[in-house]
Amino acid sequence: MRKFTVTVLDTTGIQPYIFGSNRLRENIGASYLVSQATDNWVREALEKLKNQIKQEVYAFNPEQHQPAAKPHIEDDELAAELVYAGGGNTVLLFSNKQYAVQFTQILSKRILEEAQGINLVAVHKEFDWDDWDNQSLYEVVQDLMKNDLDAKKRSRIPSAPLLGLGVTATCRSTQLVAVGMSEKFQDDEPYLISTEIKSKHKVVSQANDKLQKIFATSLDSYEFPMRTDKMGRSAGDSSYSAVIHADGNGMGKRFQEF
């Protein structure tokens, strides 16, 4: 009998977090932070867990060369294994629930410190790896997503930030308490910002560098703008911006069929 713990991570309130203002660079920074919180930061949190418990973990990274023989938690006595990360969801396997909780604490702390405003939801479930007749790994993950995760989202107590005491200045983007002024950017004058906006501004250049790297072969002669006014129009001309939402209907069901 081999007992493991499945952990599913999800984020809530993503659209208000990303599109909370009309400033493009804040949208870019927010999108990048959401991606980091459920992807790269997960891998880095696993590394911290590894250092704390002194036991091996495995987190695949598509940007790096993968070993010919990839380790697996069911065969190689790993403490944790990253199953997949993408689309705001992350699934991991742990050798016990204690490690799962410890990992979640590490990741949650970083999100609180570096990505204020992102709401992370985590659910855990123990199962017997060898008892395939009663419940497979696929069924455990589906049960967690459809029941436990949804229930936790519904029962989560919404954050009610303290909106200031006495006379306080407010952030121009979030209306939360301002903690400082933004840096002068192009022809924009500095403005009051909250901790959340400060976090978004901090990663904008990293986000655009990553975009430039992804599209390096096909868009070498283009730059990704940080202001809507710079998106393909001539100076002094009026223009309209279009928001395009691309979604693949029923993609989850198609994956389930496999």
Side-chain angles (χ1 to χ4, degrees), residues 7 9 36-55 57 79-80 92 94 97-115 120 122 124:
T7 295
L9 305 176
Q36 291 291 91
T38 54
D39 200 321
N40 287 337
W41 289 1
V42 169
R43 294 181 175 85
E44 292 172 16
L46 284 173
E47 281 299 310
K48 284 190 177 182
L49 176 68
K50 171 185 173 180
N51 294 333
Q52 289 179 7
I53 64 177
K54 308 300 181 185
Q55 193 173 341
V57 302
L92 307 101
F94 294 90
K97 191 172 182 178
Q98 178 185 342
Y99 290 163
V101 173
Q102 198 170 337
F103 159 82
T104 307
Q105 291 171 342
I106 294 170
L107 180 61
S108 298
K109 182 181 179 182
R110 183 167 186 181
I111 290 174
L112 285 170
E113 291 175 344
E114 300 183 31
L120 183 72
H124 313 285

Side-chain angles (χ1 to χ4, degrees), residues 173 208 210 216:
S173 296
N208 266 23
K210 185 174 182 179

Side-chain angles (χ1 to χ4, degrees), residues 46 177 185:
L46 284 173
V177 178
F185 178 72

Side-chain angles (χ1 to χ4, degrees), residues 240-254:
Y240 293 93
S241 297
V243 178
I244 300 173
H245 175 75
D247 190 11
N249 291 331
M251 290 303 295
K253 293 181 179 178
R254 294 184 67 179

